[in-house]
Amino acid sequence: MKIVFFLVLSFSITVLCSPLPKYDSIFSFGDSLADTGNFLLSGALKFPVIGQLPYGQTFFRHATGRCSDGRLIVDFIAEAYGLPYLPPYLSHDKSEKFSHGVNFAVAGATALDSKFFYDRNIGQFLWTNDSLAVQLGWFNNLKSSLCSHKQDCEKYFKRSLFLVGEIGGNDYNYPFFVGGNITQLKAMVVPLVVGAISSATSMLIEEGAVELIVPGNLPIGCNAVYLTLFGTSNVRAYDKNGCLKAYNAFSKYHNSQLKIALDKLRQKYPHAKISYADYYGAAKRFFHAPKHYGFTETLMSCCGGGGPYNFNNSARCGHVGSTVCSDSKGYANWDGVHLTEAAYRSIALGLLNGSFTTPRPTFSPIYAF
Ligand SMILES: *[C@@H]1O[C@H](CO)[C@@H](O)[C@H](O)[C@H]1NC(C)=O
Ligand SMILES: *[C@@H]1O[C@H](CO)[C@@H](O)[C@H](O)[C@H]1NC(C)=O
Ligand SMILES: *[C@@H]1O[C@H](CO)[C@@H](O)[C@H](O)[C@H]1NC(C)=O
């Protein structure tokens, strides 16, 4: 009896004291959905208001360079794994500060190199030239300061989570906003974008990444800027949630092609865990049933200068003539283009606590947020 009790006690002590297995670091690549400050640190010439309130007003209480009123999906993922918010790579801190990971994402970044857009005479619209390949170059430069020899790196990267995106949304935004059509983009741009995301994922695996999450695109047909620019009196163009069907179908097309590419990578690298993160599905939930997810308004942007979706290109969020809603927690759209912290939190919950990451990452989140 005594012995059994002792065994039970020592077992529970061991269980309680052994640290929960979790990631030690996170490396993030992408665009404004994930940028925690790189674009602002690089000068933010094409979007200077990112350096001022109301950006950051809800959580950080000052502008951090995040394209939202507060935390992004990557911030909630870091919190869930008990890790610090990822410092932006361009803060050029020493490797100690990067030991729990670093964020290479840059607002406005594209999966394709900027040359692709310059060659098609739309380069002048790019916010940044820091494409996915540029961000991978930064990772390679940094790598030698994170771990020194092969075994050391293998061990370190086995306990690192790599977020490859979201990236690719801007490769479509730039051409759509200057009149590109869906048929053309599906045929000519989607295969290249998916190829770029797939080769970045491959390269990271070759460099030692084992745990990777590759997100798809959001339902852009529910986004205030798309709804404003491509609004039509044809009611049949809208789904029952008020979103533009054709643009949502385009996002789904990109996502289905990406999933096919990821399946191929899984066959090529069976030792790697490549998860697809369904941002579309996780976001579509709150467009479909706003109240259930805590939202009062999902299509109008919280911060903007008027118009049916409160998006006005000549009075965008942060500029003269724009106003901020009083309850950003009830809104999904922040500034017409980007989402609110509340929306990013809802998506992150769907990824970490729901079924929108397939397969599930190896380690479970340790904190709720
Ligand atoms: C991107 O590169 C081009 C030259 O290739 C340059 O003219 C442009 O200013 C750069 N854009 C930004 C935002 O740095
Ligand atoms: C899209 O562009 C293609 C080629 O330029 C053209 O043939 C087609 O009619 C356009 N489609 C729409 C819906 O505008
Ligand atoms: C996550 O899911 C679990 C069970 O499915 C639930 O108990 C928990 O409250 C959820 N956490 C959050 C933050 O929603």
Side-chain angles (χ1 to χ4, degrees), residues 12-225:
S12 33
I13 286 173
T14 322
V15 167
L16 288 175
C17 295
S18 62
L20 283 161
K22 67 177 190 79
Y23 298 107
D24 292 334
S25 56
I26 299 176
F27 295 92
S28 158
F29 302 82
D31 57 26
S32 57
L33 259 63
D35 183 2
T36 54
N38 287 314
F39 179 66
L40 182 60
L41 287 162
S42 71
L45 291 181
K46 290 276 176 87
F47 189 47
V49 292
I50 189 63
Q52 300 159 26
L53 289 169
Y55 284 90
Q57 70 166 25
T58 302
F59 185 79
F60 299 98
R61 314 248 169 217
H62 66 274
T64 60
R66 285 169 177 78
C67 292
S68 185
D69 59 325
R71 288 164 289 180
L72 310 176
I73 296 168
V74 63
D75 295 314
F76 289 112
I77 292 177
E79 278 187 27
Y81 287 114
L83 294 172
Y85 298 130
L86 300 190
Y89 173 74
L90 295 179
S91 64
H92 285 304
D93 282 291
K94 291 300 153 253
S95 50
E96 304 129 67
K97 204 185 157 194
F98 288 165
S99 63
H100 288 299
V102 57
N103 197 340
F104 301 102
V106 183
T110 47
L112 301 176
D113 284 343
S114 61
K115 186 176 181 304
F116 176 86
F117 302 93
Y118 279 95
D119 288 351
R120 282 154 188 80
N121 289 319
I122 51 173
Q124 72 274 24
F125 299 110
L126 295 183
W127 281 12
T128 178
N129 291 330
D130 297 331
S131 65
L132 186 54
V134 172
Q135 296 174 26
L136 289 173
W138 293 346
F139 170 73
N140 279 332
N141 291 343
L142 186 71
K143 205 186 156 194
S144 60
S145 70
L146 296 170
C147 53
S148 38
H149 50 271
K150 198 166 182 285
Q151 265 183 325
D152 189 28
C153 290
E154 260 174 31
K155 216 170 130 201
Y156 180 69
F157 288 131
K158 258 193 189 135
R159 299 184 63 91
S160 301
L161 179 63
F162 287 79
L163 296 172
V164 193
E166 177 277 332
I167 186 84
N170 291 317
D171 298 69
Y172 308 132
N173 290 339
Y174 293 118
F176 275 142
F177 297 166
V178 297
N181 86 36
I182 290 178
T183 317
Q184 280 173 310
L185 263 69
K186 268 172 90 168
M188 291 160 68
V189 189
V190 173
L192 299 175
V193 167
V194 167
I197 299 171
S198 172
S199 46
T201 308
S202 264
M203 198 213 86
L204 288 169
I205 296 170
E206 309 256 340
E207 292 290 332
V210 182
E211 295 273 333
L212 306 101
I213 294 182
V214 187
N217 204 351
L218 288 165
I220 57 173
C222 303
N223 200 284
V225 62

Side-chain angles (χ1 to χ4, degrees), residues 261-280:
L262 296 182
D263 274 335
K264 286 189 189 136
L265 290 182
R266 288 184 192 110
Q267 280 164 22
K268 188 169 172 199
Y269 304 106
H271 75 286
K273 185 138 188 187
I274 306 168
S275 297
Y276 170 71
D278 182 9
Y279 281 21
Y280 186 103

